[in-house]
Amino acid sequence: MMNNRAIAAAWLVVVTSAAMANEPIRTYEIWEPEQAPNRGADFKKVVSRGTPYDQDWEQWSYPIGNGYVGANLFGRTDTERIQITEKTLHNKGCYNNGGATNFAELYLDFNHTGVTDYRRSLNLNEAIAHVSYTSGGVAHSRQYFASYPDNVLVVRLDADRKGALSLTIRPQIPYLDKKDRTGEIIANDNLLTLKGTIPFFKCNYEGQIKVINSGGSLSSNTQKGTITVNGADSLTILIVTGTNYQLGQRIFAEPPDKKLDSRLDPHEAVSSRIAAAERMGFETLKKRHLADYQNLFDRVSVNLDSKPSSKPTHVLLEDYKKGTQDPWLEELMFQYGRYLLIASSREKSLPANLQGVWTQFDHTPWSGGYWHNINVQMNYWGAMSANLPECFEAYLAYFQAYLPRARKYAEDYVRKANPKQLGNYGGDNGWIIGTGANAYHVGGASIGHSGPGTGGFTSKLLMDYYLYTMDRKYLEAVAYPAMLSLSKFYSKALIPHGELLLVEPSSSPENTATKNQLNGMPGHMLPKGYYITAGCTFDQGFVWENFNDTLALAKALGKNDPFLDVIRKQMPKLDPIQVGTSGQIKEYREEQAYSDIGDPNHRHISHLCGLYPGTLINSQHPDWMKAAAKTLDLRGDKTTGWALAHRMNCRARLGQGDQAHAVYSRFIRERTVPNLWTLHPPFQIDGNFGTMAGVVEMLLQSHDGSIAILPALPKAWRNGSFSGLVARGNFIASASWKDSKVMSLDILSRSGGTCRLRHAGIESARIKNSDGKMIKASSPGQGEIAFETSADATYHIAW
Ligand code: FUC
């Protein structure tokens, strides 16, 4: 798999320059001419929804990360603040079952005054943050990056005058006053060690900070736990973190105090990692970081006919809010999404959580969890199409680890909801995951605010990972067994209602009803207003999706499991989509007119999951497409961050480019802050990732059998180009367009097979392979062509 990817990456360089002919390589950076505020060099706490929160951290600091560890940088010249998060460090969290927490604060006391020529930036092409300024006649510069291959945070300080670097390096273990962790700081020579335990999970943690000076001298203060540097020419600070967390089924099976092996001490691993980094030295670490990062980041370019802007990012954003819809910011946000995904989700690390890999909190909002009724799935919606499938591997490992627990939940569920079925299919009850989960816990499908559609929501990612990579080994070993097994669970969760089979109990995620609305309705209300009934569109739809996908995978593998016949018999009885009297897709079967039940403007649009990320509502059902558009109109766009991202993708699937763009634009205006993180509020990373997926969805779609080129192009993006975006079937597409007409299109077939393209007027196009040989195509439908491809061959389509 890696080899193919490496080849594809090399090929992409060629395509990039071909598709973007005459274009200089673009540099994407966010930058400010001012330091990030950090009121009082200690974060000011503002109470938000009962959780203390630090606005300066959230809106102005710059995030770097390597999947394992994240850091937020303030770029200050008095006292620099580097806030560090280690993804496996959890305390009790807000729900008493685990939550991400701040690992360390690192302060660099410079006390530089009279600062001029200040600039701080985060370069997305390199994943390196920079700070530069002049103080006392000395030009200072800093670089910061988080290396994935060496799992180390690197800070480099330089000055243009020898001996000009003097500062004190002062780490802090945060929230010791909350008494939910123990910790001490040991200063020894050029090494600072932070170590302690979070008793709730017996989670042992250690951080090491090594200070390597060139010139000058160092002295450590054991009492204060600091290192002071005097008169150095340059300085490299290496930061390595670790805990005794081990991803595996034990984490999800055991009570909090037995999840981890308390005898394990991360000391050895942390020490050897920092020693290896020290041996390599700054230049080698940087080279290895760039090679790793750019292999991922450089695969995709998107040019929305923008002019690179030199405005500070907060000005760019302010101007956008005032009405200058600069496509540069729209493009920058897209690439920032890719940057953030690479920074927060890498193989062998945990998946990106609700805040990616960044938290300054003791108790992170919603525990920094993996919320499975939309949020964690949204984190990965764009991973495959934006050519970062490796980033999804973190979720795959997490999935494998929680699967045994999810099997137990399925059995419990069936025992309660449909006990007659327990013994069927050899006693195999499949698996199910409910909404709430984090690094230390997964929940089952409780009869609460979200129905068991959460399982199919999750398996859609498993399906898509296969369709985008065409990885047969994964299909055979992971995707097919997982989806077959989830189908078994679903088949047992269906209850006969006349001719139909309905999920019961069922609830449409987090929508709430009023007592009046429920007068005479068959379901019942939970104390918080959640309505429990049978056959919500969310649940029925995801059963349909998982059944449909299971059959498709069985066909791809030539499988003949007898259970497939059960799916074939049950599927026609699902009746998953119903259109109501307002012309809307119904959210509940018993609803007639729109919002008979539930909040008319609710943020969740769970009944449209069949449109996106599902495939049930597609162009072969124009009546459903129309009803979906009507539903979006009725629901409106006055909503929160990730909720806008879902609407954007739905509009794209409907081919409503201008509306999709309007939602994106609203998202940038209303939910984006100067460091380009986005708010629900507060900060959640799902909005950044969901809109990144939305941009691709506007330019390229591949969910209903053909690859649609520019399916939802808004007027605002009349001219432009992209390269390296991925379509299902493992086709890499690169295109350019002018006045909304495609000018060039290249398809790299990475796995061979039939390539079916859709675009108005494409029947008259000519197809050539890379040797210039004409390739014959058929026209299976209006605006469609199909032709056979060979693996690793490129096809040029011209009009
Ligand atoms: C879902 C949403 C909430 C929030 C939470 C993390 O439950 O309904 O709005 O985003 O996830």
Side-chain angles (χ1 to χ4, degrees), residues 49 354 365-366 371 373-375 435 449-450 509-510 602-604 640 642 680 684 686:
R49 298 171 185 231
L354 193 67
W366 290 285
W371 296 92
N373 68 3
I374 190 159
N375 316 87
T435 303
H449 66 43
S450 304
E510 305 198 39
H602 200 263
R603 61 190 183 283
H604 283 268
T640 67
W642 61 259
H680 175 43
Q684 286 187 193
D686 43 15

Side-chain angles (χ1 to χ4, degrees), residues 412-462:
D412 295 347
Y413 182 101
V414 175
R415 178 169 292 118
K416 221 160 136 189
N418 205 3
K420 297 192 299 286
Q421 293 271 356
L422 261 182
N424 283 351
Y425 324 135
D428 184 354
N429 297 297
W431 61 273
I432 186 64
I433 182 163
T435 303
N438 62 57
Y440 287 73
H441 162 86
V442 291
S446 61
I447 313 310
H449 66 43
S450 304
T454 45
F457 214 155
T458 306
S459 68
K460 191 45 99 182
L461 291 171
L462 303 181

Side-chain angles (χ1 to χ4, degrees), residues 425 491 547 561-572:
Y425 324 135
S491 120
F547 278 0
D561 290 271
F563 175 73
L564 297 171
D565 277 334
V566 178
I567 297 183
R568 288 187 193 103
K569 279 199 197 101
Q570 291 189 334
M571 247 178 112

Side-chain angles (χ1 to χ4, degrees), residues 264-571:
L264 290 182
D265 187 332
H267 178 73
E268 290 294 312
V270 169
S271 306
S272 66
R273 228 185 312 135
I274 210 155
E278 185 175 8
R279 276 196 302 276
M280 259 176 251
F282 175 73
E283 290 303 334
T284 305
L285 287 169
K286 184 171 168 181
K287 231 186 255 158
R288 287 164 57 85
H289 158 70
L290 285 173
D292 168 72
Y293 176 77
Q294 291 180 331
N295 170 45
L296 297 169
F297 187 78
D298 287 358
R299 291 173 186 174
V300 171
S301 73
V302 166
N303 183 331
L304 304 173
D305 199 25
S306 65
K307 267 209 216 73
S309 166
S310 57
K311 288 177 195 167
T313 308
H314 82 276
V315 177
L316 188 65
L317 183 62
E318 282 311 312
D319 287 353
Y320 193 98
K321 288 181 183 181
K322 285 184 208 140
T324 321
Q325 291 195 355
D326 189 341
W328 175 251
L329 182 55
E330 295 167 357
E331 215 178 289
L332 181 63
M333 288 284 291
F334 166 74
Q335 290 292 12
Y336 191 49
R338 297 185 67 248
Y339 164 83
L340 291 170
L341 189 60
I342 301 169
S344 63
S345 184
R346 298 296 303 271
E347 198 183 348
K348 297 200 172 70
S349 74
L350 284 165
N353 65 36
L354 193 67
Q355 287 82 6
V357 57
W358 298 281
T359 178
Q360 64 79 35
F361 299 90
D362 179 29
H363 286 175
T364 307
W366 290 285
S367 285
Y370 300 123
W371 296 92
H372 280 73
N373 68 3
I374 190 159
N375 316 87
V376 73
Q377 291 91 347
M378 185 177 281
N379 281 1
Y380 293 101
W381 281 353
M384 279 58 101
S385 59
N387 214 335
L388 297 171
E390 292 92 335
C391 294
F392 182 61
E393 289 174 25
Y395 189 87
L396 284 175
Y398 178 71
F399 170 73
Q400 301 279 11
Y402 76 62
L403 198 52
R405 184 73 200 177
R407 289 194 181 287
K408 176 83 177 57
Y409 284 136
E411 189 188 312
D412 295 347
Y413 182 101
V414 175
R415 178 169 292 118
K416 221 160 136 189
N418 205 3
K420 297 192 299 286
Q421 293 271 356
L422 261 182
N424 283 351
Y425 324 135
D428 184 354
N429 297 297
W431 61 273
I432 186 64
I433 182 163
T435 303
N438 62 57
Y440 287 73
H441 162 86
V442 291
S446 61
I447 313 310
H449 66 43
S450 304
T454 45
F457 214 155
T458 306
S459 68
K460 191 45 99 182
L461 291 171
L462 303 181
M463 179 71 182
D464 277 340
Y465 182 79
Y466 167 66
L467 291 176
Y468 279 99
T469 61
M470 301 305 279
D471 182 337
R472 296 282 295 187
K473 255 174 70 195
Y474 159 81
L475 169 62
E476 180 97 45
V478 182
Y480 179 66
M483 299 188 70
L484 185 72
S485 184
L486 181 59
S487 287
K488 285 183 184 162
F489 167 75
Y490 277 149
S491 120
K492 294 185 177 191
L494 292 169
I495 308 287
H497 277 246
E499 290 296 290
L500 299 178
L501 287 172
L502 304 181
V503 173
E504 187 180 8
S506 170
S507 50
S508 194
E510 305 198 39
N511 205 344
T512 49
T514 61
K515 283 214 174 83
N516 269 349
Q517 287 179 324
L518 296 187
N519 236 335
M521 293 291 176
H524 68 277
M525 194 189 210
L526 290 184
K528 283 188 180 161
Y530 303 126
Y531 177 51
I532 309 296
T533 181
C536 291
T537 305
F538 172 74
D539 289 327
Q540 292 299 110
F542 273 122
V543 174
W544 185 93
E545 299 281 346
N546 195 72
F547 278 0
N548 191 51
D549 290 343
T550 304
L551 293 178
L553 296 186
K555 195 168 163 204
L557 283 169
K559 295 276 185 192
N560 239 333
D561 290 271
F563 175 73
L564 297 171
D565 277 334
V566 178
I567 297 183
R568 288 187 193 103
K569 279 199 197 101
Q570 291 189 334
M571 247 178 112

